[in-house]
């Protein structure tokens, strides 16, 4: 198979799927060696870039997905007449952070860290496609555990969970100006 045919096969598979495709599946379906896939995807992305295309191929963990370029999102949203999605609440961002850095985790774990019931927050994150069920723990009650999804990676511009920024080593402490705290208290 010629390189043009291989590029065409990769492009067609990614376009038709609309979802992330695991690298091994893309390799099998396209007939392209796994080791050659990254360079083939780079060639396609270079081609898209050179002609000013609104399409790009993103690597999401161990998958590839064809997506629209970020700078065209306003036009895509307008064309599809999608309602602007509500931004995530602070509670949702907290829960999502806990899940992303500790996955897979149960609702109980998230609630223990947050100190408050998080059922509705996690259910909302599942509905938005940012987290998904990842099985059950092998403990009494067999609670569901959750992990982040490729939608999470794409939404936050990450290639994999390893791209998350590191957590601070120590909790952030507020520093007070001790020079101004020496007020005269003799008259009180």
């Amino acid at each position: 198979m010629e390189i043009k045919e291989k590029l065409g096969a990769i492009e067609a598979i990614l376009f038709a799927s609309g979802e992330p495709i695991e690298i091994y599946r893309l390799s099998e379906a396209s007939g392209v060696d796994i080791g050659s896939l990254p360079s083939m995807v780079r060639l396609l992305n270079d081609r898209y870039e050179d002609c000013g295309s609104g399409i790009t191929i993103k690597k999401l963990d161990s998958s590839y997905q064809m997506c629209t370029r970020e700078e065209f999102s306003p036009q895509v949203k307008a064309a599809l007449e999608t309602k602007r999605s509500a931004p995530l609440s602070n509670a949702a961002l907290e829960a999502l952070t806990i899940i992303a850095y500790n996955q897979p985790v149960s609702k109980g774990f998230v609630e223990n860290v947050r100190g408050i019931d998080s059922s509705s927050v996690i259910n909302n994150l599942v509905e938005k496609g940012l987290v998904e069920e990842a099985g059950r723990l092998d403990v009494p009650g067999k609670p569901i555990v959750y992990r982040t999804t490729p939608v999470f990676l794409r939404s936050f511009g990450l290639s994999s969970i390893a791209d998350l920024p590191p957590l601070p080593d120590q909790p952030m402490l507020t520093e007070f100006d001790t020079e101004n705290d020496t007020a005269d208290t003799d008259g009180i």
Side-chain angles (χ1 to χ4, degrees), residues 37-174:
L37 272 176
S39 60
M40 301 290 271
V41 169
R42 270 194 305 278
L43 281 172
L44 284 169
N45 276 332
D46 289 346
R47 182 188 292 173
Y48 299 148
E49 184 74 30
D50 289 344
C51 73
S53 175
I55 302 295
T56 188
I57 299 172
K58 291 194 174 202
K59 186 172 187 300
L60 305 170
D61 228 356
S62 60
S63 303
Y64 284 110
Q65 182 174 15
M66 184 174 279
C67 306
T68 55
R69 293 173 60 106
E70 192 173 331
E71 58 264 30
F72 297 112
S73 62
Q75 294 89 343
V76 171
K77 285 179 183 177
L80 298 176
E81 297 180 349
T82 57
K83 294 180 182 175
R84 184 178 175 157
S85 60
L88 293 175
S89 66
N90 286 340
L93 286 172
E94 258 181 22
L96 188 57
T97 301
I98 293 165
I99 294 168
Y101 279 96
N102 299 286
Q103 60 187 303
V105 297
S106 66
K107 281 184 186 176
F109 179 86
V110 175
E111 291 170 353
N112 189 33
V113 173
R114 291 189 66 230
I116 190 167
D117 177 54
S118 300
S119 295
S120 63
V121 172
I122 292 175
N123 291 340
N124 186 24
L125 293 171
V126 170
E127 286 176 18
K128 290 183 179 289
L130 296 170
V131 297
E132 65 186 0
E133 292 182 11
R136 293 186 175 270
L137 287 178
D138 194 19
V139 296
K142 298 207 179 267
I144 297 170
V145 291
Y146 297 89
R147 66 177 171 220
T148 56
T149 65
V151 172
F152 166 81
L153 294 175
R154 194 172 50 249
S155 297
F156 288 90
L158 304 170
S159 293
S160 74
I161 291 300
D163 293 339
L164 284 170
L167 291 172
D169 291 336
Q170 305 241 342
M172 292 176 52
L173 301 174
T174 305

Side-chain angles (χ1 to χ4, degrees), residues 2 10 13-14 25 34 38 88 97 118 121 133 143 158 177-178:
E2 285 186 39
I10 293 169
I13 293 165
L14 291 171
R25 288 187 58 217
I34 286 180
L88 293 175
T97 301
S118 300
V121 172
E133 292 182 11
L158 304 170
D177 184 3
T178 54

